[in-house]
Structures are given as structure tokens and as C-alpha cells.
Amino acid sequence: MKVIGLLGGMSWESSAGYYRLVNERVRELRGGFHSARTVLYSVDFAEIEAMQAEGRWDDAGRELNRAARALEAAGADFVVLCTNTMHKVADQLTEGLGVPLLHLADATAAAVKAANIHRVGLLGTGFTMAQPFYRERLAAHGLDVLVPDERDRDTVHRVIYDELVHGIVTEDSRERYREVIARLVEAGAEGVIYGCTEIELLVGPDDSPVPTFPTTRLHAEAAVDYALGKSSLPPAV
């Protein structure tokens, strides 16, 4: 079993979900007393969030590169970046790294295509929805990606940063998300990507009239399947 290097803390609420999911997947596939071989580097999200807000993405990339190198030094065979948004700096993160990064957007695109879906809605932080780094990665896999309008993007982003990263889950916010999802479906989305690792704390498959793609679970399962030799890394673009 390969050692999974979890680069988390953004936020720790969703990183805890990663740890649970990779171990549940190993138990499902191996049974008995088996659990995942992992090393975890958890950053201080306050520092990363400040870099996001101030547009200091190069600083964030250097910080995550240091963290990824620490995971490699600790024995990780590959790195799983436990956040969608910070894949914006994936290229910086992997500079000089001797082990591969299992890119979350590649794992997600593979799942969407396996479901024979081509036009998909994307929910995430404002950075993920509005900036091209994530949408273009999905589009390079042949997907047509829809994002909410500006007002709905603001709603989705606010709930993530004001509530979900602090472990706050409310029925009112769940209903707002359902409304945003419904509008994406009305616009032609055949499925919806839950493209922020905290979103799965709030909504699930029953909150959407079309198939959903929970990136935390998809990423964790892809990591375990690769660690156990059941699959290769998802094809990159």
C-alpha cells in the first residue's frame, strides 16, 4: 500500500473528512483491521486565507510547496491536496517535488465522464467558480462547465467562509444552496460538482435533482484506489 500524503487544514473540518473517507475506503476494500497508510501536514488556515484575500497566491504556492516537500520527506508516495481552491497553485506546489500530485479536478472529471455527463454545474468558493484555473482544467477534459451568476456565487462563497469552515451548518443555508443548484439545472446542467471540500458538510445527493459529484469523496476514493494499485492516477491534461 502506497503512503498517502494528505496536505490539509484548509479547512480542518473538511480535512477530517478526508481522513475518515480514506480509511473507510481501505476498510471497504481490504476488510479486517486494515486502515490507510497516511501522513498528514495540516497548515494554519488563517495564514492561507489571508493570502487568498490579499491575492498573494505566489506566497501561498511557496507555503504549500514547503508542506508538500515535508510530506515527501515523511514518506508520502504521492500528495493529495485537500482543498479545491488551492489547486490554483498546483504548479507551484509540485516544483521540485519528487512524488506526484493527485489533482482533484482530474479525479472529478474522470467521475463526471464515467457518468456520461458532459454539461456540469460547478459550486465552490468564489475563487474556484469565477477564476479560470479550475474550470479550464475541467474543460480540458471535454466538459462544458456552468457556474452560478454573480449573486449566487456570492451566496455560495459566503456560506463556505462564514459558516462551513467553522463547522456551522444551517437549514437556511442548505435551502439557499438548493435554490442555486436548481438554477444551474434550469440553465442546462446535467450534473453538479460540489467543488469545495466543505460543501459536502451542507448538501448531499438528495439536495439536487441531477447527479452530484462530491469532490472530497471522489478525491479520497481515487487516492485509495491508487494507493492500493487498483487504478492509475487520473489522466492529467
Side-chain angles (χ1 to χ4, degrees):
M1 189 191 305
K2 294 182 178 67
V3 178
I4 303 170
L6 298 174
L7 206 175
M10 300 162 280
S11 66
W12 70 261
E13 294 278 353
S14 61
S15 300
Y18 265 92
Y19 185 73
R20 174 178 56 81
L21 288 166
V22 297
N23 281 290
E24 287 178 348
R25 180 69 167 172
V26 170
R27 181 175 61 192
E28 173 190 342
L29 295 176
R30 283 273 180 99
F33 293 104
H34 286 290
S35 58
R37 297 180 66 202
T38 64
V39 289
L40 168 66
Y41 190 111
S42 187
V43 303
D44 180 356
F45 187 43
E47 297 174 359
I48 300 297
E49 191 277 333
M51 294 173 189
Q52 293 175 341
E54 297 164 11
R56 294 189 289 119
W57 296 102
D58 287 344
D59 290 343
R62 284 189 287 271
E63 178 62 27
L64 295 188
N65 179 263
R66 285 192 291 270
R69 287 170 179 262
L71 286 170
E72 181 181 7
D77 292 306
F78 64 103
V79 172
V80 173
L81 178 58
C82 303
T83 161
N84 285 268
T85 296
M86 296 313 297
H87 278 75
K88 178 180 173 68
V89 299
D91 289 343
Q92 289 172 274
L93 183 153
T94 55
E95 287 180 4
L97 195 65
V99 296
L101 172 72
L102 197 169
H103 199 291
L104 198 158
D106 295 339
T108 300
V112 174
K113 293 173 69 175
N116 199 31
I117 287 174
H118 304 286
R119 197 171 202 206
V120 65
L122 173 63
L123 300 182
T125 67
F127 309 110
T128 299
M129 292 184 290
Q131 296 181 17
F133 70 94
Y134 199 88
R135 291 183 287 109
E136 288 182 355
R137 185 89 177 199
L138 294 171
H141 285 279
L143 300 179
D144 182 10
V145 183
L146 304 177
V147 296
D149 62 24
E150 185 175 1
R151 182 176 178 181
D152 281 348
R153 292 199 303 269
D154 288 345
T155 296
V156 172
H157 182 89
R158 178 192 58 76
V159 170
I160 291 168
Y161 277 84
D162 291 353
E163 299 175 16
L164 298 180
V165 299
H166 302 293
I168 299 169
V169 176
T170 71
E171 188 59 38
D172 180 69
S173 291
R174 181 175 291 111
E175 184 57 34
R176 300 290 81 73
Y177 267 52
R178 288 170 177 160
E179 293 169 357
V180 173
I181 291 167
R183 283 188 280 273
L184 283 172
V185 173
E186 288 173 6
E190 303 164 341
V192 176
I193 294 172
Y194 291 164
C196 174
T197 52
E198 280 81 23
I199 286 178
E200 292 156 68
L201 303 174
L202 181 67
V203 288
D206 293 339
D207 296 295
S208 170
V210 295
T212 59
F213 298 90
T215 56
T216 302
R217 179 172 293 277
L218 293 173
H219 204 196
E221 291 180 351
V224 171
D225 289 355
Y226 177 62
L228 295 181
K230 290 177 59 64
S231 67
S232 303
L233 289 175
V237 289

